Amino acid sequence: MTSSDTGLSAASSTHDSCWDRARRSHLGVACVVAYTLFTDMLTYGAILPVLPTMIIQRLKGDSSMVGFLFGCYAFGLLVATPVFAILSDKYQNRRIPMMGGSFGLVISTLSFAAADSYPLLVIARVAQGVAGGASWTIGLGMLADVFPTHRLGVVMGTVLTAHTVGFAIGPAMGGFLFEYAGYPAPFLCCALFAAINFVLILWVAEPDHGKNNAAKKDTTKGYHADVSEDSPLLLQKTVTCEQQERITMLGLCKNWKIMCCVLCTAVSASVFSGVEPALPVYLEKSYGASASTVGLIFVSMVIPAFLAPVIGFLSDKMGRDVISASGMLLMAIASPLVALPYPTVYMIVPSLMVFGFSSPLTLTPILPEMGEVVDSLGGEAYAQVYALYNMAYSAGMFLGPNCAGLIMTYAGFKTLMFTFGAALFICTPVMMDWKLVWRVLTRRNN
Protein backbone atom coordinates (compact mmCIF):
# COMPACT_ATOMS: atom_id res chain seq x y z
CA MET A 1 0.00 0.00 0.00
CA THR A 2 1.37 3.42 -0.95
CA SER A 3 1.64 6.33 1.43
CA SER A 4 -1.16 8.13 -0.43
CA ASP A 5 -3.43 5.12 0.01
CA THR A 6 -2.57 5.03 3.70
CA GLY A 7 -3.42 8.70 4.02
CA LEU A 8 -6.74 8.22 2.27
CA SER A 9 -7.55 5.25 4.51
CA ALA A 10 -6.70 7.22 7.62
CA ALA A 11 -8.79 10.17 6.46
CA SER A 12 -11.69 7.84 5.72
CA SER A 13 -11.49 6.18 9.14
CA THR A 14 -11.30 9.58 10.80
CA HIS A 15 -14.37 10.71 8.87
CA ASP A 16 -16.25 7.53 9.83
CA SER A 17 -15.30 7.89 13.49
CA CYS A 18 -16.52 11.49 13.61
CA TRP A 19 -19.78 10.45 11.97
CA ASP A 20 -20.16 7.58 14.43
CA ARG A 21 -19.37 9.82 17.40
CA ALA A 22 -22.01 12.30 16.26
CA ARG A 23 -24.60 9.51 15.97
CA ARG A 24 -23.78 8.25 19.47
CA SER A 25 -23.17 11.57 21.20
CA HIS A 26 -25.41 12.83 23.98
CA LEU A 27 -25.99 15.99 21.98
CA GLY A 28 -27.05 13.98 18.93
CA VAL A 29 -29.54 11.95 20.96
CA ALA A 30 -30.92 15.07 22.63
CA CYS A 31 -31.33 16.85 19.28
CA VAL A 32 -33.17 13.93 17.68
CA VAL A 33 -35.49 13.55 20.67
CA ALA A 34 -36.07 17.31 20.67
CA TYR A 35 -36.98 17.30 16.97
CA THR A 36 -39.26 14.31 17.53
CA LEU A 37 -41.20 16.16 20.25
CA PHE A 38 -41.18 19.30 18.10
CA THR A 39 -42.75 17.45 15.17
CA ASP A 40 -45.33 15.73 17.35
CA MET A 41 -46.49 19.01 18.90
CA LEU A 42 -46.28 20.93 15.61
CA THR A 43 -48.75 18.44 14.14
CA TYR A 44 -50.87 18.48 17.28
CA GLY A 45 -50.95 22.29 17.39
CA ALA A 46 -51.64 22.80 13.68
CA ILE A 47 -54.96 21.00 14.10
CA LEU A 48 -56.25 23.20 16.94
CA PRO A 49 -57.66 26.11 14.88
CA VAL A 50 -58.65 23.85 11.96
CA LEU A 51 -60.77 21.02 13.35
CA PRO A 52 -63.30 23.10 15.36
CA THR A 53 -64.08 25.16 12.25
CA MET A 54 -64.20 22.02 10.12
CA ILE A 55 -66.62 20.20 12.45
CA ILE A 56 -68.94 23.08 13.31
CA GLN A 57 -69.15 24.81 9.93
CA ARG A 58 -68.67 22.00 7.40
CA LEU A 59 -69.95 18.95 9.26
CA LYS A 60 -72.60 20.88 11.25
CA GLY A 61 -71.43 19.43 14.55
CA ASP A 62 -71.32 20.92 18.08
CA SER A 63 -68.84 21.49 20.91
CA SER A 64 -69.25 17.97 22.29
CA MET A 65 -68.18 16.49 18.93
CA VAL A 66 -65.14 18.78 18.93
CA GLY A 67 -64.22 17.72 22.46
CA PHE A 68 -64.60 14.01 21.67
CA LEU A 69 -62.41 14.30 18.57
CA PHE A 70 -59.69 16.07 20.54
CA GLY A 71 -59.93 13.39 23.22
CA CYS A 72 -59.44 10.60 20.68
CA TYR A 73 -55.77 11.57 20.45
CA ALA A 74 -55.41 10.79 24.14
CA PHE A 75 -57.19 7.46 23.72
CA GLY A 76 -54.66 6.34 21.12
CA LEU A 77 -51.82 7.64 23.30
CA LEU A 78 -53.17 5.83 26.36
CA VAL A 79 -53.51 2.50 24.54
CA ALA A 80 -50.14 2.60 22.80
CA THR A 81 -47.94 4.00 25.57
CA PRO A 82 -47.65 0.94 27.88
CA VAL A 83 -47.13 -1.40 24.93
CA PHE A 84 -44.26 0.65 23.53
CA ALA A 85 -42.72 1.12 26.98
CA ILE A 86 -42.78 -2.52 28.10
CA LEU A 87 -41.44 -3.81 24.77
CA SER A 88 -38.76 -1.12 24.66
CA ASP A 89 -37.47 -1.88 28.17
CA LYS A 90 -37.71 -5.66 27.61
CA TYR A 91 -35.78 -5.72 24.33
CA GLN A 92 -33.62 -2.67 25.17
CA ASN A 93 -34.37 -0.97 21.86
CA ARG A 94 -35.47 2.64 21.40
CA ARG A 95 -34.96 3.40 17.70
CA ILE A 96 -37.35 0.87 16.13
CA PRO A 97 -40.44 1.94 18.16
CA MET A 98 -39.61 5.61 17.49
CA MET A 99 -39.26 4.91 13.77
CA GLY A 100 -42.62 3.15 13.81
CA GLY A 101 -44.19 6.09 15.61
CA SER A 102 -42.72 8.60 13.16
CA PHE A 103 -43.93 6.60 10.16
CA GLY A 104 -47.38 6.32 11.76
CA LEU A 105 -47.46 10.09 12.23
CA VAL A 106 -46.85 10.59 8.51
CA ILE A 107 -49.72 8.23 7.61
CA SER A 108 -52.19 9.62 10.16
CA THR A 109 -51.45 13.23 9.17
CA LEU A 110 -52.02 12.46 5.49
CA SER A 111 -55.26 10.74 6.52
CA PHE A 112 -56.49 14.03 8.00
CA ALA A 113 -55.95 15.72 4.66
CA ALA A 114 -58.05 13.06 2.90
CA ALA A 115 -60.82 12.69 5.53
CA ASP A 116 -64.24 14.05 4.56
CA SER A 117 -66.43 12.66 7.37
CA TYR A 118 -66.45 12.61 11.17
CA PRO A 119 -65.70 8.85 11.57
CA LEU A 120 -62.62 9.17 9.35
CA LEU A 121 -61.42 12.13 11.42
CA VAL A 122 -61.83 10.04 14.58
CA ILE A 123 -59.77 7.17 13.12
CA ALA A 124 -57.02 9.55 11.99
CA ARG A 125 -56.97 11.23 15.42
CA VAL A 126 -56.63 7.91 17.27
CA ALA A 127 -53.80 6.88 14.91
CA GLN A 128 -52.07 10.17 15.60
CA GLY A 129 -52.25 9.43 19.34
CA VAL A 130 -50.77 5.95 18.84
CA ALA A 131 -47.84 7.53 16.96
CA GLY A 132 -47.39 10.07 19.74
CA GLY A 133 -47.11 7.24 22.29
CA ALA A 134 -43.87 6.09 20.70
CA SER A 135 -42.45 9.59 20.35
CA TRP A 136 -42.96 10.64 23.95
CA THR A 137 -42.38 7.41 25.87
CA ILE A 138 -39.37 6.15 23.95
CA GLY A 139 -37.87 9.59 23.44
CA LEU A 140 -37.86 10.42 27.16
CA GLY A 141 -36.56 6.94 27.93
CA MET A 142 -33.68 7.49 25.49
CA LEU A 143 -32.72 10.69 27.32
CA ALA A 144 -32.72 8.84 30.65
CA ASP A 145 -30.51 6.18 29.03
CA VAL A 146 -27.69 8.55 28.16
CA PHE A 147 -27.83 11.38 30.73
CA PRO A 148 -27.10 11.08 34.47
CA THR A 149 -30.02 11.54 36.84
CA HIS A 150 -28.77 14.74 38.44
CA ARG A 151 -28.80 16.46 35.00
CA LEU A 152 -32.21 15.25 33.83
CA GLY A 153 -34.01 18.35 35.09
CA VAL A 154 -31.97 20.72 32.93
CA VAL A 155 -31.78 18.33 29.95
CA MET A 156 -35.50 17.57 29.86
CA GLY A 157 -36.36 21.20 30.43
CA THR A 158 -34.19 22.10 27.44
CA VAL A 159 -35.56 19.33 25.23
CA LEU A 160 -39.13 20.22 26.16
CA THR A 161 -38.41 23.68 24.78
CA ALA A 162 -38.55 22.05 21.33
CA HIS A 163 -41.96 20.68 22.26
CA THR A 164 -42.94 24.25 23.16
CA VAL A 165 -41.62 25.62 19.86
CA GLY A 166 -43.69 23.07 17.96
CA PHE A 167 -46.81 23.92 19.91
CA ALA A 168 -46.12 27.64 19.44
CA ILE A 169 -45.65 27.41 15.68
CA GLY A 170 -48.35 24.79 15.05
CA PRO A 171 -51.57 26.74 15.72
CA ALA A 172 -50.39 29.87 13.89
CA MET A 173 -49.12 27.85 10.94
CA GLY A 174 -52.25 25.69 10.83
CA GLY A 175 -54.62 28.65 10.99
CA PHE A 176 -52.72 30.60 8.34
CA LEU A 177 -52.44 27.68 5.89
CA PHE A 178 -56.07 26.70 6.43
CA GLU A 179 -57.34 30.23 5.82
CA TYR A 180 -55.18 31.06 2.81
CA ALA A 181 -54.22 27.70 1.23
CA GLY A 182 -57.16 25.43 1.97
CA TYR A 183 -57.98 22.55 4.30
CA PRO A 184 -55.32 19.98 3.23
CA ALA A 185 -52.38 22.42 3.39
CA PRO A 186 -51.63 22.25 7.18
CA PHE A 187 -51.62 18.46 7.16
CA LEU A 188 -49.39 18.13 4.09
CA CYS A 189 -46.88 20.50 5.67
CA CYS A 190 -46.86 18.55 8.95
CA ALA A 191 -46.46 15.25 7.10
CA LEU A 192 -43.25 16.63 5.54
CA PHE A 193 -41.84 17.45 8.99
CA ALA A 194 -42.74 13.93 10.18
CA ALA A 195 -40.95 12.36 7.20
CA ILE A 196 -37.78 14.31 8.06
CA ASN A 197 -38.12 13.07 11.64
CA PHE A 198 -38.17 9.47 10.39
CA VAL A 199 -34.83 10.02 8.62
CA LEU A 200 -33.26 11.55 11.75
CA ILE A 201 -34.32 8.62 13.95
CA LEU A 202 -32.88 6.28 11.34
CA TRP A 203 -29.61 8.23 11.58
CA VAL A 204 -29.10 8.29 15.36
CA ALA A 205 -27.43 5.29 16.99
CA GLU A 206 -29.10 3.04 19.56
CA PRO A 207 -27.88 3.93 23.10
CA ASP A 208 -25.46 1.48 24.70
CA HIS A 209 -27.83 0.20 27.37
CA GLY A 210 -25.34 -2.15 29.00
CA LYS A 211 -22.73 0.57 29.41
CA ASN A 212 -25.20 3.16 30.68
CA ASN A 213 -26.88 0.81 33.13
CA ALA A 214 -23.46 -0.21 34.47
CA ALA A 215 -22.57 3.43 35.01
CA LYS A 216 -25.82 4.08 36.85
CA LYS A 217 -25.27 0.97 38.99
CA ASP A 218 -21.78 2.21 39.87
CA THR A 219 -23.41 5.38 41.16
CA THR A 220 -25.88 3.30 43.16
CA LYS A 221 -23.02 1.21 44.57
CA GLY A 222 -21.57 4.36 46.06
CA TYR A 223 -24.73 4.64 48.11
CA HIS A 224 -24.78 0.94 48.99
CA ALA A 225 -21.14 1.09 50.10
CA ASP A 226 -22.16 3.46 52.88
CA VAL A 227 -24.22 0.69 54.42
CA SER A 228 -22.02 -1.21 56.85
CA GLU A 229 -22.53 -3.61 59.70
CA ASP A 230 -23.04 -0.64 61.98
CA SER A 231 -25.88 0.73 59.84
CA PRO A 232 -29.47 0.36 61.04
CA LEU A 233 -31.01 -3.02 60.21
CA LEU A 234 -34.01 -1.40 58.48
CA LEU A 235 -31.71 0.48 56.10
CA GLN A 236 -29.80 -2.72 55.26
CA LYS A 237 -33.04 -4.55 54.47
CA THR A 238 -34.23 -1.70 52.30
CA VAL A 239 -31.03 -1.72 50.25
CA THR A 240 -31.14 -5.51 49.90
CA CYS A 241 -34.74 -5.41 48.68
CA GLU A 242 -33.91 -2.67 46.18
CA GLN A 243 -31.06 -4.76 44.78
CA GLN A 244 -33.13 -7.94 44.48
CA GLU A 245 -36.52 -6.77 43.25
CA ARG A 246 -37.07 -6.23 39.56
CA ILE A 247 -38.91 -3.04 38.74
CA THR A 248 -42.30 -3.47 37.08
CA MET A 249 -44.97 -1.01 36.07
CA LEU A 250 -47.25 -2.41 38.79
CA GLY A 251 -44.49 -1.93 41.34
CA LEU A 252 -44.03 1.68 40.24
CA CYS A 253 -47.76 2.24 40.77
CA LYS A 254 -47.30 1.27 44.43
CA ASN A 255 -44.76 4.04 44.96
CA TRP A 256 -46.41 7.02 46.67
CA LYS A 257 -44.19 9.64 45.05
CA ILE A 258 -44.82 8.22 41.58
CA MET A 259 -48.58 8.24 42.13
CA CYS A 260 -48.50 11.86 43.35
CA CYS A 261 -46.73 12.80 40.12
CA VAL A 262 -49.25 10.77 38.09
CA LEU A 263 -52.26 12.47 39.74
CA CYS A 264 -50.88 15.98 39.29
CA THR A 265 -50.00 15.23 35.67
CA ALA A 266 -53.50 13.93 34.93
CA VAL A 267 -55.24 16.93 36.52
CA SER A 268 -52.98 19.53 34.88
CA ALA A 269 -53.28 17.83 31.49
CA SER A 270 -57.07 17.70 31.84
CA VAL A 271 -57.25 21.44 32.37
CA PHE A 272 -54.76 22.46 29.70
CA SER A 273 -56.11 20.10 27.04
CA GLY A 274 -59.69 20.97 27.98
CA VAL A 275 -59.02 24.58 27.04
CA GLU A 276 -57.71 23.61 23.59
CA PRO A 277 -61.05 22.69 21.95
CA ALA A 278 -63.09 25.13 24.06
CA LEU A 279 -61.08 28.30 23.48
CA PRO A 280 -61.43 28.45 19.65
CA VAL A 281 -65.22 28.02 19.93
CA TYR A 282 -65.40 30.67 22.65
CA LEU A 283 -63.25 33.16 20.73
CA GLU A 284 -65.26 32.67 17.56
CA LYS A 285 -68.65 33.05 19.25
CA SER A 286 -67.73 35.88 21.63
CA TYR A 287 -65.31 37.91 19.50
CA GLY A 288 -65.84 36.67 15.94
CA ALA A 289 -62.19 35.56 15.73
CA SER A 290 -60.98 33.88 12.51
CA ALA A 291 -58.85 30.72 12.35
CA SER A 292 -55.63 32.70 11.88
CA THR A 293 -56.48 34.98 14.84
CA VAL A 294 -57.19 31.96 17.03
CA GLY A 295 -53.85 30.48 16.02
CA LEU A 296 -51.98 33.66 16.99
CA ILE A 297 -53.74 33.82 20.36
CA PHE A 298 -52.74 30.23 21.04
CA VAL A 299 -49.13 31.26 20.45
CA SER A 300 -49.38 33.71 23.34
CA MET A 301 -50.42 30.86 25.62
CA VAL A 302 -47.36 28.82 24.62
CA ILE A 303 -44.63 31.52 24.65
CA PRO A 304 -44.06 31.38 28.46
CA ALA A 305 -43.24 27.68 28.16
CA PHE A 306 -39.87 28.67 26.68
CA LEU A 307 -38.83 29.16 30.31
CA ALA A 308 -38.86 25.36 30.79
CA PRO A 309 -35.02 25.11 31.00
CA VAL A 310 -34.99 27.74 33.75
CA ILE A 311 -37.79 25.92 35.54
CA GLY A 312 -35.85 22.65 35.26
CA PHE A 313 -32.75 24.30 36.73
CA LEU A 314 -34.71 25.84 39.62
CA SER A 315 -36.47 22.56 40.34
CA ASP A 316 -33.12 20.78 40.63
CA LYS A 317 -31.94 23.42 43.11
CA MET A 318 -35.07 24.36 45.09
CA GLY A 319 -37.08 21.15 45.15
CA ARG A 320 -39.35 19.73 42.46
CA ASP A 321 -42.46 19.30 44.57
CA VAL A 322 -42.47 22.99 45.57
CA ILE A 323 -42.19 24.15 41.96
CA SER A 324 -44.91 21.76 40.73
CA ALA A 325 -47.32 22.71 43.50
CA SER A 326 -46.71 26.40 42.74
CA GLY A 327 -47.53 25.74 39.08
CA MET A 328 -50.83 24.05 39.92
CA LEU A 329 -51.78 26.91 42.23
CA LEU A 330 -50.96 29.47 39.53
CA MET A 331 -53.03 27.54 36.97
CA ALA A 332 -55.96 27.49 39.41
CA ILE A 333 -55.78 31.27 39.74
CA ALA A 334 -55.34 31.91 36.01
CA SER A 335 -58.19 29.66 34.82
CA PRO A 336 -61.08 31.97 35.88
CA LEU A 337 -59.19 35.02 34.57
CA VAL A 338 -59.25 33.59 31.03
CA ALA A 339 -63.08 33.46 31.12
CA LEU A 340 -63.57 37.12 32.09
CA PRO A 341 -65.22 39.30 29.39
CA TYR A 342 -62.77 41.65 27.66
CA PRO A 343 -63.47 44.60 25.32
CA THR A 344 -61.35 43.11 22.53
CA VAL A 345 -60.11 39.61 21.75
CA TYR A 346 -56.44 40.53 22.22
CA MET A 347 -56.96 41.63 25.83
CA ILE A 348 -57.32 37.98 26.77
CA VAL A 349 -53.64 37.46 25.93
CA PRO A 350 -52.10 38.38 29.37
CA SER A 351 -54.37 35.93 31.19
CA LEU A 352 -53.54 33.22 28.65
CA MET A 353 -49.82 33.88 29.10
CA VAL A 354 -50.10 33.36 32.86
CA PHE A 355 -52.17 30.22 32.23
CA GLY A 356 -49.59 28.99 29.71
CA PHE A 357 -46.69 29.62 32.10
CA SER A 358 -48.34 27.51 34.80
CA SER A 359 -48.26 24.36 32.66
CA PRO A 360 -44.44 23.95 32.35
CA LEU A 361 -44.10 25.16 35.93
CA THR A 362 -46.21 22.17 36.97
CA LEU A 363 -45.02 19.48 34.57
CA THR A 364 -41.31 20.16 33.95
CA PRO A 365 -40.17 19.09 37.47
CA ILE A 366 -42.32 15.95 37.39
CA LEU A 367 -40.33 14.17 34.65
CA PRO A 368 -36.92 14.21 36.40
CA GLU A 369 -38.63 13.49 39.74
CA MET A 370 -40.05 10.25 38.35
CA GLY A 371 -36.70 9.39 36.76
CA GLU A 372 -34.93 9.97 40.07
CA VAL A 373 -37.31 7.59 41.86
CA VAL A 374 -36.56 4.88 39.29
CA ASP A 375 -32.84 5.53 39.62
CA SER A 376 -33.07 5.11 43.40
CA LEU A 377 -34.75 1.75 42.80
CA GLY A 378 -31.94 0.52 40.56
CA GLY A 379 -32.81 1.95 37.12
CA GLU A 380 -33.61 -0.07 33.99
CA ALA A 381 -37.29 0.96 33.90
CA TYR A 382 -37.16 4.48 32.55
CA ALA A 383 -39.44 3.81 29.59
CA GLN A 384 -42.02 2.29 31.94
CA VAL A 385 -42.02 5.20 34.38
CA TYR A 386 -42.32 7.69 31.53
CA ALA A 387 -45.07 5.49 30.15
CA LEU A 388 -46.94 6.12 33.42
CA TYR A 389 -46.40 9.84 32.88
CA ASN A 390 -47.70 9.56 29.32
CA MET A 391 -50.66 7.45 30.43
CA ALA A 392 -51.54 10.03 33.09
CA TYR A 393 -51.14 12.85 30.59
CA SER A 394 -53.18 11.04 27.95
CA ALA A 395 -55.91 10.18 30.47
CA GLY A 396 -56.11 13.89 31.26
CA MET A 397 -56.11 14.73 27.56
CA PHE A 398 -59.03 12.37 27.06
CA LEU A 399 -61.11 13.50 30.05
CA GLY A 400 -60.35 17.22 29.67
CA PRO A 401 -61.69 17.81 26.13
CA ASN A 402 -64.70 15.55 26.64
CA CYS A 403 -65.67 17.24 29.91
CA ALA A 404 -64.99 20.63 28.35
CA GLY A 405 -67.23 19.83 25.38
CA LEU A 406 -70.13 18.82 27.63
CA ILE A 407 -69.76 21.78 29.99
CA MET A 408 -69.42 24.19 27.06
CA THR A 409 -72.60 22.79 25.47
CA TYR A 410 -74.76 23.04 28.59
CA ALA A 411 -73.16 25.70 30.85
CA GLY A 412 -70.71 27.83 28.87
CA PHE A 413 -67.04 28.74 28.90
CA LYS A 414 -67.06 30.66 32.20
CA THR A 415 -68.46 27.70 34.15
CA LEU A 416 -65.85 25.47 32.53
CA MET A 417 -62.90 27.61 33.60
CA PHE A 418 -64.19 28.09 37.17
CA THR A 419 -64.64 24.30 37.42
CA PHE A 420 -61.07 23.76 36.26
CA GLY A 421 -59.79 26.28 38.83
CA ALA A 422 -61.61 24.52 41.67
CA ALA A 423 -60.25 21.11 40.66
CA LEU A 424 -56.69 22.46 40.63
CA PHE A 425 -57.06 24.06 44.07
CA ILE A 426 -58.23 20.75 45.51
CA CYS A 427 -55.36 18.73 44.01
CA THR A 428 -52.50 21.17 44.69
CA PRO A 429 -51.64 19.86 48.22
CA VAL A 430 -51.03 16.34 46.83
CA MET A 431 -47.77 17.38 45.17
CA MET A 432 -46.20 18.81 48.33
CA ASP A 433 -43.80 16.71 50.42
CA TRP A 434 -45.52 17.35 53.75
CA LYS A 435 -42.97 15.30 55.70
CA LEU A 436 -40.25 17.66 54.50
CA VAL A 437 -42.41 20.71 55.34
CA TRP A 438 -43.00 19.33 58.84
CA ARG A 439 -39.27 18.71 59.36
CA VAL A 440 -38.45 22.27 58.27
CA LEU A 441 -41.09 23.77 60.56
CA THR A 442 -40.07 21.72 63.59
CA ARG A 443 -36.41 22.51 62.95
CA ARG A 444 -37.18 26.24 62.98
CA ASN A 445 -39.21 25.92 66.18
CA ASN A 446 -36.35 24.10 67.87
Side-chain angles (χ1 to χ4, degrees), residues 4-361:
S4 60
D5 292 336
T6 305
L8 289 173
S9 177
S12 176
S13 62
T14 303
H15 179 269
D16 291 340
S17 63
C18 291
W19 177 262
D20 188 63
R21 283 199 299 269
R23 293 178 63 238
R24 297 182 182 278
S25 67
H26 291 188
L27 179 61
V29 171
C31 289
V32 171
V33 173
Y35 185 82
T36 301
L37 299 185
F38 165 81
T39 304
D40 187 69
M41 293 311 297
L42 178 78
T43 306
Y44 182 89
I47 292 174
L48 295 180
V50 177
L51 290 186
T53 303
M54 169 86 173
I55 293 172
I56 292 176
Q57 294 184 1
R58 295 191 181 186
L59 301 180
K60 309 302 180 184
D62 55 21
S63 297
S64 61
M65 292 176 65
V66 176
F68 179 77
L69 184 62
F70 273 74
C72 286
Y73 176 91
F75 177 77
L77 190 67
L78 183 62
V79 171
T81 290
V83 177
F84 282 124
I86 293 173
L87 292 178
S88 177
D89 276 340
K90 181 178 180 179
Y91 296 105
Q92 294 290 288
N93 192 292
R94 308 296 191 203
R95 289 172 66 243
I96 293 178
M98 287 184 70
M99 288 167 61
S102 181
F103 182 75
L105 185 61
V106 175
I107 300 302
S108 62
T109 305
L110 293 175
S111 299
F112 271 112
D116 57 357
S117 65
Y118 189 75
L120 291 179
L121 290 174
V122 169
I123 294 173
R125 188 67 168 165
V126 172
Q128 188 185 35
V130 171
S135 301
W136 279 89
T137 304
I138 311 304
L140 295 176
M142 186 178 284
L143 290 178
D145 283 336
V146 300
F147 286 97
T149 305
H150 67 276
R151 291 182 58 198
L152 280 180
V154 176
V155 171
M156 289 190 175
T158 304
V159 169
L160 287 175
T161 303
H163 149 278
T164 304
V165 173
F167 194 47
I169 296 175
M173 182 193 75
F176 180 83
L177 291 176
F178 174 69
E179 192 167 334
Y180 296 102
Y183 172 73
F187 305 106
L188 296 177
C189 182
C190 291
L192 177 61
F193 278 95
I196 295 173
N197 185 41
F198 179 85
V199 175
L200 289 177
I201 297 172
L202 186 64
W203 168 79
V204 75
E206 178 72 23
D208 189 346
H209 300 281
K211 179 180 178 181
N212 294 322
N213 288 335
K216 290 178 183 291
K217 286 179 180 178
D218 288 341
T219 304
T220 308
K221 286 179 182 177
Y223 167 73
H224 291 169
D226 295 335
V227 183
S228 63
E229 294 180 356
D230 298 329
S231 302
L233 182 60
L234 179 61
L235 180 59
Q236 294 182 32
K237 289 182 178 180
T238 301
V239 173
T240 303
C241 291
E242 287 180 359
Q243 288 177 313
Q244 292 178 349
E245 292 182 2
R246 181 176 179 84
I247 305 173
T248 63
M249 191 172 290
L250 180 61
L252 291 172
C253 291
K254 297 177 181 178
N255 185 286
W256 170 250
K257 194 65 179 178
I258 292 290
M259 294 315 295
C260 289
C261 294
V262 165
L263 176 63
C264 293
T265 300
V267 174
S268 301
S270 295
V271 174
F272 200 83
S273 60
V275 172
E276 291 170 357
L279 187 62
V281 178
Y282 170 71
L283 294 178
E284 183 181 352
K285 290 184 177 180
S286 300
Y287 301 99
S290 63
S292 57
T293 302
V294 171
L296 289 174
I297 290 176
F298 261 106
V299 172
S300 68
M301 187 170 67
V302 180
I303 285 176
F306 285 105
L307 295 173
V310 179
I311 295 170
F313 175 79
L314 292 177
S315 68
D316 287 342
K317 299 296 182 181
M318 299 174 58
R320 292 164 182 151
D321 52 348
V322 175
I323 300 296
S324 287
S326 301
M328 292 187 71
L329 187 62
L330 183 63
M331 188 180 290
I333 297 172
S335 295
L337 298 179
V338 174
L340 295 178
Y342 295 98
T344 63
V345 66
Y346 292 105
M347 291 187 70
I348 199 175
V349 168
S351 299
L352 282 174
M353 293 185 73
V354 176
F355 182 83
F357 175 68
S358 65
S359 181
L361 196 64

